[in-house]
């Protein structure tokens, strides 16, 4: 298509699913900090005054899971004791057990096998310096901008929950303009919708979208009117339900596996990061303007079952495929070593996407 519009969504730190992701990644980092060989598959559910930790963890570390949970909730901003979901008052229930011996047998073999079967994708595009699709990049900036304004005290009426959405018009495959912006911001009681509209239109949007902000944007702010009730006090959250926000905003395919709460022996996470790393190299080498990498695994097997390279007609697909085959080892142990993944770095990935951020090894 010569002209089309594409939309992506992001979310702030306080939506219930993201609260769960943050707790899970906090537990993962604590385990890796004490034992880099930890095996972690942590799932979290939160609702009202309850947090449930479940899954399998095998570690020589001795993290205080309840303390991590409360500290994470405090950092996010749910500290109002009058709310059902508050850092000090939530009840934390642990249903964590050790990793299955049958899974461990394959993962801990002499040649480390994949922790599960599955398919993973990575994507990169030259349409932004971050090599990310513009709609998800801008949606993340809006969500992160709201969090910064709340935490700094510049906008004390803001609360942790919130969502954003950005629509970009493309012409001949290149982004030309932002056409629509949607912002849903949780707020304290008494804050007017007109005041929130003015905040987005006059301060947040122009500041964080910068040159992409324009007066012709169709702006939607808190379409239902009031957004006082939010977070786990108003809704249920579970880990792994924001996988499109976490990746490319729908601009590329997704294998279906979530990231948060999983150590790098789980190829759902590490191989998706590696595919992103490789897609970036394909674009940086000038082999294509857009690249998507797919890899597939069988549980317990080290070598991938397949590797597929797609350049969407923007480059030399055969050359890109040869480049990938010659330069990258997809075995789990090789991925972990090349990206140095046995470190407590995963809390930095939880919010505003796992890709496009400086300082992460797969973005190097």
């Amino acid at each position: 298509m010569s002209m089309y519009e594409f939309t992506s969504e992001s979310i702030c730190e306080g939506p219930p699913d993201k609260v769960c992701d943050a707790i899970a990644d906090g537990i993962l980092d604590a385990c890796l900090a004490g034992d880099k060989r930890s095996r972690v598959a942590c799932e979290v559910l939160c609702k009202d005054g309850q947090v449930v930790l479940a899954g399998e963890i095998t570690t020589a570390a001795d993290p205080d899971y309840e303390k991590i949970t409360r500290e994470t909730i405090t950092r996010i901003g749910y500290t109002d004791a009058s709310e059902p979901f508050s850092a000090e008052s939530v009840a934390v229930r642990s249903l964590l057990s050790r990793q299955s011996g049958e899974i461990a047998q394959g993962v801990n073999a002499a040649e480390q096998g994949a922790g599960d079967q599955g398919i993973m994708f990575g994507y990169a595009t030259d349409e932004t310096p971050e090599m990310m699709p513009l709609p998800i990049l801008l949606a993340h900036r809006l969500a992160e901008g709201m969090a910064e304004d709340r935490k700094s005290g510049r906008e004390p009426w803001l609360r942790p929950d919130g969502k954003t959405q950005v629509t970009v018009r493309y012409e001949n495959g290149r982004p030309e303009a932002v056409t629509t912006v949607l912002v849903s911001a949780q707020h304290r009681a008494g804050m007017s919708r007109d005041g929130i509209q003015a905040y987005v239109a006059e301060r947040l949007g122009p500041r964080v979208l910068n040159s992409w902000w324009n007066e012709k944007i169709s702006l939607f702010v808190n379409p239902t009117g009031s957004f006082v009730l939010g977070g786990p006090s108003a809704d249920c959250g579970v880990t792994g339900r924001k996988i499109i926000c976490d990746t490319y905003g729908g601009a590329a395919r997704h294998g279906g596996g979530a990231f948060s709460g999983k150590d790098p022996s789980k190829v759902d996470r590490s191989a998706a990061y590696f595919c992103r790393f490789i897609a970036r190299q394909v674009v940086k080498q000038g082999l294509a303007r857009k690249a998507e990498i797919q890899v597939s695994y069988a549980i317990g097997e080290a070598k991938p079952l397949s590797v597929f390279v797609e350049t969407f007609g923007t480059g030399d697909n055969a050359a890109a495929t040869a480049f990938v085959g010659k330069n990258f080892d997809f075995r789990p142990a090789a991925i972990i070593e090349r990206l140095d993944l046995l470190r407590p770095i995963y809390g930095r990935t939880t919010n505003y996407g796992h890709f496009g951020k400086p300082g992460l090894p797969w973005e190097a």
Side-chain angles (χ1 to χ4, degrees):
M1 295 179 288
S2 61
M3 186 170 68
Y4 61 92
E5 291 187 342
F6 193 85
T7 303
S8 293
E9 174 198 30
S10 182
I11 57 177
C12 296
E13 296 166 30
D17 295 331
K18 268 296 152 205
V19 173
C20 293
D21 285 347
I23 294 170
D25 277 335
I27 288 172
L28 170 62
D29 277 349
C31 290
L32 289 175
D35 174 13
K36 67 179 184 179
R37 296 297 175 183
S38 296
R39 297 286 184 250
V40 180
C42 181
E43 307 291 347
V44 182
L45 179 147
C46 61
K47 173 63 177 146
D48 293 330
Q50 304 286 326
V51 176
V52 179
L53 312 177
E56 298 77 44
I57 297 179
T58 302
T59 181
D62 187 25
D64 186 333
Y65 300 135
E66 181 173 335
K67 181 180 179 182
I68 293 166
T69 298
R70 296 189 191 281
E71 288 177 345
T72 301
I73 296 169
T74 298
R75 186 179 68 251
I76 291 169
Y78 288 119
T79 57
D80 186 347
S82 68
E83 294 289 330
F85 191 81
S86 176
E88 290 190 6
S89 63
V90 293
V92 181
R93 183 183 182 192
S94 177
L95 302 178
L96 294 164
S97 61
R98 292 177 62 84
Q99 183 183 58
S100 161
E102 292 176 317
I103 295 175
Q105 182 177 350
V107 175
N108 297 333
E111 184 172 30
Q112 180 176 337
D116 201 353
Q117 70 175 57
I119 57 174
M120 300 86 211
F121 289 91
Y123 178 78
T125 172
D126 70 352
E127 68 187 63
T128 64
E130 296 83 357
M131 295 191 182
M132 289 291 288
L134 184 64
I136 189 64
L137 190 69
L138 297 183
H140 285 328
R141 287 179 183 174
L142 286 168
E144 190 169 13
M146 282 198 289
E148 291 171 351
D149 287 342
R150 171 176 61 88
K151 293 177 179 180
S152 70
R154 285 193 297 266
E155 307 290 343
W157 53 270
L158 279 165
R159 295 296 180 260
D161 204 343
K163 296 183 178 182
T164 66
Q165 200 165 277
V166 173
T167 302
V168 173
R169 184 179 74 247
Y170 285 77
E171 295 182 13
N172 298 315
R174 311 301 289 180
E176 290 295 322
V178 174
T179 60
T180 306
V181 168
L182 167 61
V183 173
S184 295
Q186 187 190 12
H187 57 90
R188 72 183 179 197
M191 182 65 183
S192 71
R193 184 177 177 187
D194 287 344
I196 302 171
Q197 178 92 15
Y199 159 66
V200 176
E202 299 169 12
R203 300 190 292 281
L204 177 68
R207 186 182 88 240
V208 303
L209 298 193
N210 206 335
S211 62
W212 289 105
W213 183 261
N214 66 82
E215 295 181 356
K216 296 181 180 180
I217 288 175
S218 296
L219 181 61
F220 297 84
V221 178
N222 285 22
T224 62
S226 179
F227 186 6
V228 174
L229 299 176
S233 292
D235 197 4
C236 178
V238 180
T239 43
R241 291 204 299 193
K242 291 294 180 281
I243 59 177
I244 301 303
C245 294
D246 285 345
T247 53
Y248 309 101
R253 287 170 284 198
H254 195 295
F259 300 155
S260 289
K262 296 178 180 177
D263 75 82
S265 72
K266 281 71 173 174
V267 285
D268 276 343
R269 188 168 208 163
S270 55
Y273 290 170
F274 195 51
C275 286
R276 161 68 176 174
F277 175 75
I278 295 170
R280 281 176 48 90
Q281 309 316 310
V282 170
V283 174
K284 288 172 69 174
Q285 291 291 324
L287 296 170
R289 290 191 293 108
K290 294 193 296 184
E292 184 182 76
I293 313 297
Q294 185 210 51
V295 64
S296 68
Y297 291 94
I299 188 170
E301 294 292 325
K303 293 183 180 179
L305 303 184
S306 66
V307 175
F308 175 69
V309 180
E310 174 61 78
T311 56
F312 306 98
T314 68
D316 187 334
N317 212 83
T321 299
F323 170 75
V324 172
K326 180 180 179 181
N327 291 285
F328 301 99
D329 186 345
F330 285 85
R331 292 175 299 168
I335 292 173
I336 290 168
E337 180 180 4
R338 183 159 187 171
L339 298 183
D340 194 13
L341 296 180
L342 297 177
R343 297 178 288 151
I345 59 174
Y346 298 99
R348 295 160 55 192
T349 69
T350 311
N351 298 111
Y352 318 116
H354 291 241
F355 308 119
K357 297 175 179 176
L360 295 172
W362 47 93
E363 297 296 314

